Amino acid sequence: MTTPSPRFLQSLRESQARSANEQILFSDRDWLLVAAFVQFLTALSPIHHYLMALRLSLPPGFAAHAPWLIGGLLGLAGSLMLLWWWALYAPYRAALTALLAYIAVHSAIALLQPQAVLDNIASKILVLTGLVLAVRTGWLRRRPQ
Amino acid sequence: MSSVVLRPTPPDATPDAGPRRNGGALVFIAAIMASLTAVFAAGICLQLDRPALVAPALILFGLPALWWGGCVWVAARAYPSLPRSHSVLNGALGFDIRCTCHGVASTVFFHPDGVAADGRLDLLVFLENYTSRQRVAEIRIGPHRGLGLDAPSLVRLHLAAGQAAVYVLPLAVAPGLAAGDHDLPVMLKVSLPAGAGLRLPGARRHLHDLWCPRFAVPFTLSSAPLKNSADLPPPVYRSLASVGEPGPRLDALQTVADLR
């Protein structure tokens, strides 16, 4: 038996690097699932406030934007779930769509309720960072070497 | 599915070393936290004029603190006498290792990662035990109809303390598989038949320790194979390094290359 040639070792490293990158890609895909889960949780508070407003017959202005807010958050959560599935086949496009949808929905919510911009800011930053990471990994994989 | 535990060739007779129980950083933090909780709980009982509860509070939190402290003490005494890991996967082979599973570093890939003209692919599973006690790695490969794996196949591989090894599984591409990129799902679980042990000196630190790492092993089929591999060679499991030897035996990799 002989020691393997440097060329053989180099080809082993290249194959291993491809597999390791695939693992990172699928780890970053999970950010879409995390984002969807966080959106579902974020929607619980407005749903609770809206139901309480209905039950206590509060003035209509109290929760005027609540249906839009709830619809936006639940719609975003459902979309992120679908994008998580789509990321199996097109990780870059799915992650980029998720990032744009996230920014669009939260910008619209900020316009409707400017006082709520800073609500759940930690989870927003976390999810945004994860989605940016997923886009970056997808882009690096898609870019020609 | 096989319940037989495969042992790499040549056999590695390295005995288990160090304590059975874990005495690492997390246990140390747990001991400190339990000690502080015991003191605070006793202090609160005294502040609320409940001296009868002081002893139960001290026992409730103090005993785990003592137990964990003892584990840390035993581990600290055993650590200097442990053999040094060769750290083959990160060092000599230069692989990009992201995580461990119960102290076992692993990477799974096809080499070459494109299907050859004979329709054959070799799945390589590299494992390295970074701990001072033996491990059994349970690897679930598949399912993938395109590679003839209609159901997941289970392989159990033994690793002595500090041992590195490679498992090679030849696979053949099924005729109907479409051209393009494909992924083979592989899952790893590790059992501890002789206890947790300690991380060996020289082993890479600061790796996430996952309970069950999952791999999506990529391969590319550029066109339909010219012929189908009728007879695949049997899987091989070779040892790459043992802490009882002065250095890694990379010549075992040449036998992997010779399989083709």
Side-chain angles (χ1 to χ4, degrees):
Chain A
M1 287 197 289
T2 54
T3 307
S5 66
R7 183 179 290 181
F8 176 72
L9 286 177
Q10 185 58 32
S11 70
L12 266 186
R13 282 181 198 123
E14 283 167 7
S15 299
Q16 196 274 336
R18 183 183 172 194
S19 178
N21 285 336
E22 198 81 352
Q23 203 182 356
I24 299 167
L25 186 79
F26 282 101
S27 306
D28 281 352
R29 173 179 164 258
D30 287 345
W31 276 111
L32 271 63
L33 192 64
V34 170
F37 185 63
V38 169
Q39 289 314 300
F40 274 120
L41 289 181
T42 311
L44 290 180
S45 174
I47 289 172
H48 176 251
H49 284 149
Y50 182 62
L51 291 177
M52 289 305 287
L54 285 181
R55 191 177 171 193
L56 299 174
S57 304
L58 291 176
F62 185 79
H65 298 306
W68 290 103
L69 180 67
I70 294 166
L73 289 173
L74 290 180
L76 179 61
S79 308
L80 287 168
M81 289 286 286
L82 286 175
L83 289 169
W84 174 70
W85 170 78
W86 188 37
L88 262 178
Y89 306 98
Y92 173 66
R93 277 177 282 176
L96 188 64
T97 311
L99 180 65
L100 294 177
Y102 189 84
I103 292 171
V105 168
H106 282 276
S107 304
I109 291 171
L111 286 175
L112 284 173
Q113 288 188 319
Q115 73 278 12
V117 170
L118 292 179
D119 287 355
N120 304 316
I121 190 69
S123 67
K124 283 177 186 168
I125 290 173
L126 184 78
V127 167
L128 210 55
T129 310
L131 291 178
V132 168
L133 278 176
V135 171
R136 179 181 169 273
T137 311
W139 166 248
L140 288 177
R141 188 211 193 202
R142 196 169 180 260
R143 187 180 60 181
Q145 297 296 314
Chain B
M1 293 192 178
S2 168
S3 61
V4 178
V5 179
L6 297 178
R7 288 174 183 268
T9 50
D12 184 357
T14 306
D16 292 331
R20 286 180 66 92
R21 298 193 185 281
N22 192 353
L26 281 177
V27 181
F28 179 68
I29 292 169
I32 298 281
M33 294 301 292
S35 309
L36 291 175
T37 310
V39 173
F40 289 145
I44 287 170
C45 293
L46 286 175
Q47 212 169 25
L48 297 175
D49 285 333
R50 300 282 180 90
L53 291 178
V54 170
L58 282 176
I59 291 170
L60 185 66
F61 297 107
L63 280 182
L66 276 176
W67 174 261
W68 288 325
C71 288
V72 173
W73 173 251
V74 171
R77 282 177 65 88
Y79 188 78
S81 62
L82 293 179
R84 197 169 177 79
S85 167
H86 293 304
S87 202
V88 178
L89 300 196
N90 283 302
L93 292 177
F95 288 161
D96 181 10
I97 301 297
R98 297 270 157 181
C99 60
T100 58
C101 176
H102 289 297
V104 174
S106 59
T107 182
V108 187
F109 58 93
F110 285 107
H111 182 264
D113 51 13
V115 180
D118 61 354
R120 214 185 102 189
L121 278 168
D122 286 338
L123 180 72
L124 270 57
V125 182
F126 282 85
L127 299 166
E128 183 164 18
N129 184 1
Y130 283 158
T131 65
S132 64
R133 289 192 164 259
Q134 61 183 289
R135 296 283 191 265
V136 174
E138 198 175 277
I139 298 161
R140 187 173 173 269
I141 302 167
H144 195 296
R145 287 184 186 275
L147 292 175
L149 296 167
D150 290 340
S153 69
L154 193 74
V155 187
R156 304 181 79 204
L157 306 172
H158 183 269
L159 287 165
Q163 188 177 26
V166 58
Y167 176 75
V168 186
L169 176 67
L171 293 167
V173 174
L177 187 63
D181 290 332
H182 300 271
D183 285 319
L184 171 69
V186 175
M187 199 172 80
L188 173 75
K189 278 185 182 178
V190 172
S191 57
L192 296 65
L198 300 176
R199 186 65 70 101
L200 292 175
R204 187 176 162 193
R205 293 184 178 276
H206 309 300
L207 286 170
H208 303 291
D209 200 67
L210 302 182
W211 178 67
C212 177
R214 291 163 193 269
F215 302 90
V217 191
F219 66 94
T220 306
L221 179 63
S222 43
S223 60
L226 297 176
K227 57 174 182 173
N228 287 326
S229 294
D231 297 320
L232 290 173
V236 293
Y237 186 35
R238 293 278 152 78
S239 178
L240 293 176
S242 163
V243 288
E245 295 169 353
R249 48 168 79 213
L250 294 185
D251 51 356
L253 280 176
Q254 190 60 43
T255 61
V256 172
D258 293 342
L259 269 177
R260 294 199 70 84

